Amino acid sequence: MSHVLPLANGLRTDHPVPGLPFVDDSHLPLDEGPEAIEAVGRHEASGMWGRFDRNRKTDSWYAFTTDPKQHTLGWSVRWHPEHGRTVLLMRDGDTSSWHLKWAYDALLFRAGDYWFDGTTWYRPGQVWDPVTQDFERRKARLAVTVTAADMLDGRADPARAYVGKVATFDPDAPKPDNWLDHLALWAERRTKQDHALPLEQCIVDLSSPELTASQLIGVPEMAELGGITASTLRAYISRGNSEVPLPQATVSGRDQWARAVAEDWVESRKRSYTSIGEAMSAGDRDNLSPGAAEVRDRFAANFRSTLWDRPDVRKRWVLRQRNPEAVGEVADELAWTVAASLDRIVPTQHLHRMVRAAVLFDWIESTELFADEPTVKAYHLNLTPAVGKMLDWYVRCFPSEASSCIGDIQRDAHERWEMSAADSLRALRQALSLDGKLTEQQRETYFALLEPREDRD
């Protein structure tokens, strides 16, 4: 899935996106509420659609609709009782994806998905938090909100700007170079709108030390941080891989990322399903997980013994040119097939739920022993040897699947006992050190990948 981006600002938006042109939105019922916006797209005409949802926590709403005049385009609208509204023109197929981005606390997106919740600016969400079931919120350092009043100093000339028409809008046309002139025209038109926010409250952009030129890096540096080649990263970008964060700036036609965003991306890659499997299989000749490697070695020895050491079996098939080394090669291949097929032998989709339930059952029982204490601590969460050994086997054989299971366990512990992700992870690690077969180095490697990082801001 690729990133989606807005094409233009609606003229009645309160928070213009820098660099985007302004398009007339007077044909939209923006002042009549979300139901009216949805109704535009629910017209019987083929190819139109619309929807609205409410955020009960903030008493805000967000909606989208196909444009009634140009069905290849659509409008996405976000309204907040204190912070006003954002109106964006998009490709019609992108409005539903953008709608999901507004489903939580985000009011604005700037500088390649830095986002604002009305109080704080955060970096693009990349590192998954299993407890909240959302991306970790990492604050932009010393972020300052830049308003329309900050940008309009009297030098911009609205006479040099224009307001586009949706019927003739070209999504592929170059963006205006004289954008401040367009911002000035937008500000001039606002004087005719009822209940328009003051320019001092109209957010245009953010400023942060993370976004200064000295903190921006290009493709070569970002690829090096991620442990891949620049050509591989360019291939990801050209394919629209959404796991690569949006650039924070484009300088002389070259994408630039904030180093902080790139570092979050690297951390996310290390915690990914694939990377966890690769980290745990490092050093094995077949790139198998520790548990699968044990299965391979055990079956290889059994196959060698059966095929060569038992005379009653060997005489059925052995030829003169066959020898123990040749038999060993066959046995190794058979054993590898068994080890590589573990996911077809063991129903991991059911194992996830069973291990999770067993761990929680043990933890509930162990916490009952400390019922007289006011709060549950990490040292209260103990596993019986059988459950500890089962979790250890799961990690050794299916490290990626087990990481997802552990994330669910962390969330359950947080919901039940308000246990932090770090503390519940510490309890699991201690249990595996007592009853598991992972080496100390393997445990260090694995749990370091799952360790939550405290916000250092």
Side-chain angles (χ1 to χ4, degrees):
M1 183 177 178
S2 59
H3 295 286
V4 298
L5 295 170
L7 302 173
N9 295 295
L11 188 59
R12 287 181 287 171
T13 189
D14 289 321
H15 309 293
V17 177
L20 296 186
F22 291 88
V23 173
D24 184 12
D25 57 17
S26 59
H27 60 298
L28 297 178
L30 297 181
D31 297 325
E32 298 176 23
E35 295 90 346
I37 296 173
E38 178 189 77
V40 173
R42 293 301 177 100
H43 192 274
E44 294 181 359
S46 174
M48 295 185 68
W49 60 339
R51 173 171 176 161
F52 82 90
D53 289 281
R54 296 185 184 276
N55 186 322
R56 303 293 180 184
K57 185 172 68 172
T58 60
D59 195 28
S60 61
W61 53 261
Y62 45 104
F64 69 87
T65 181
T66 302
D67 186 90
K69 298 180 179 180
Q70 175 55 271
H71 292 182
T72 62
L73 301 174
W75 295 91
S76 189
V77 183
R78 179 76 154 95
W79 181 85
H80 188 278
E82 178 183 354
H83 299 288
R85 66 188 170 204
T86 296
V87 186
L88 298 173
L89 181 66
M90 312 190 71
R91 297 182 192 276
D92 190 48
D94 291 341
T95 53
S96 59
S97 297
W98 196 269
H99 193 74
L100 292 176
K101 296 180 68 168
W102 272 340
Y104 301 100
D105 296 333
L107 296 177
L108 304 171
F109 295 92
R110 296 293 187 270
D113 270 356
Y114 274 74
W115 61 279
F116 186 63
D117 66 353
T119 304
T120 305
W121 284 99
Y122 298 92
R123 293 202 295 275
Q126 298 186 85
V127 180
W128 187 253
D129 182 349
V131 170
T132 63
Q133 288 293 284
D134 197 359
F135 292 108
E136 291 183 8
R137 297 187 173 192
R138 298 186 172 181
K139 296 178 182 178
R141 297 184 185 281
L142 302 175
V144 176
T145 297
V146 179
T147 69
D150 296 327
M151 301 190 73
L152 293 172
D153 56 7
R155 289 179 292 180
D157 184 0
R160 295 195 297 259
Y162 62 88
V163 175
K165 299 293 184 181
V166 69
T168 58
F169 182 79
D170 181 3
D172 300 315
K175 303 297 185 290
D177 293 328
N178 57 329
W179 191 73
L180 286 180
D181 295 334
H182 290 256
L183 184 66
L185 178 59
W186 162 84
E188 184 180 88
R189 295 288 186 92
R190 287 178 66 77
T191 60
K192 302 175 183 179
Q193 296 178 21
D194 296 331
H195 311 298
L197 285 183
L199 295 181
E200 291 78 11
Q201 296 180 32
C202 296
I203 298 172
V204 177
D205 211 343
L206 80 154
S207 175
S208 167
E210 295 180 8
L211 299 173
T212 59
S214 63
Q215 292 300 308
L216 296 179
I217 61 175
V219 168
E221 297 90 345
M222 185 163 172
E224 183 178 0
L225 283 177
I228 59 178
T229 65
S231 60
T232 298
L233 179 56
R234 290 190 182 96
Y236 289 165
I237 296 170
S238 66
R239 292 199 297 266
N241 188 327
S242 62
E243 293 180 1
V244 179
L246 285 169
Q248 276 60 67
T250 301
V251 181
S252 300
R254 297 179 182 273
D255 291 338
Q256 302 278 296
W257 289 265
R259 182 173 291 274
V261 172
E263 290 172 351
D264 288 349
W265 172 68
V266 171
E267 183 178 346
S268 175
R269 281 174 55 82
K270 289 180 178 178
R271 294 192 186 192
S272 70
Y273 181 95
T274 301
S275 294
I276 289 176
E278 290 175 350
M280 291 301 289
S281 64
D284 182 74
R285 64 181 184 272
D286 294 322
N287 295 321
L288 293 174
S289 66
E294 292 173 10
V295 171
R296 177 202 58 206
D297 294 342
R298 184 170 67 250
F299 274 95
N302 289 344
F303 289 153
R304 289 191 192 97
S305 177
T306 300
L307 294 172
W308 188 260
D309 295 339
R310 288 179 50 186
D312 59 322
V313 174
R314 181 172 58 179
K315 69 181 181 181
R316 299 177 187 174
W317 64 277
V318 72
L319 298 174
R320 289 185 178 181
Q321 61 266 35
R322 291 181 178 148
N323 51 49
E325 290 73 22
V327 171
E329 292 176 3
V330 174
D332 287 345
E333 291 181 9
L334 294 173
W336 178 86
T337 300
V338 173
S341 302
L342 273 181
D343 59 342
R344 296 195 294 273
I345 298 171
V346 179
T348 55
Q349 70 273 25
H350 304 309
L351 187 62
H352 177 127
R353 185 175 180 85
M354 295 298 294
V355 171
R356 174 185 172 189
V359 169
L360 289 175
F361 179 82
D362 272 8
W363 279 359
I364 290 171
E365 282 205 327
S366 66
T367 56
E368 289 175 353
L369 300 176
F370 303 92
D372 56 334
E373 297 193 18
T375 58
V376 175
K377 304 295 185 182
Y379 60 82
H380 296 158
L381 304 180
N382 300 310
L383 297 181
T384 57
V387 174
K389 291 178 187 294
M390 188 64 204
L391 178 60
D392 175 81
W393 179 89
Y394 196 17
V395 171
R396 285 186 291 114
C397 293
F398 303 99
S400 300
E401 290 86 345
S403 69
S404 175
C405 179
I406 289 173
D408 286 345
I409 292 170
Q410 290 174 289
R411 186 178 76 254
D412 291 333
H414 179 75
E415 292 177 349
R416 183 178 289 273
W417 300 295
E418 297 185 354
M419 183 72 60
S420 72
D423 283 346
S424 55
L425 193 68
R426 191 176 301 116
L428 294 175
R429 180 174 178 172
Q430 177 64 20
L432 267 59
S433 69
L434 294 173
D435 298 310
K437 293 183 179 180
L438 284 169
T439 66
E440 183 176 354
Q441 182 59 52
Q442 288 170 338
R443 280 198 308 276
E444 288 281 345
T445 298
Y446 188 73
F447 282 94
L449 294 169
L450 307 184
E451 189 72 34
R453 195 192 74 172
E454 297 295 333
D455 195 331
R456 294 173 292 185
D457 296 323

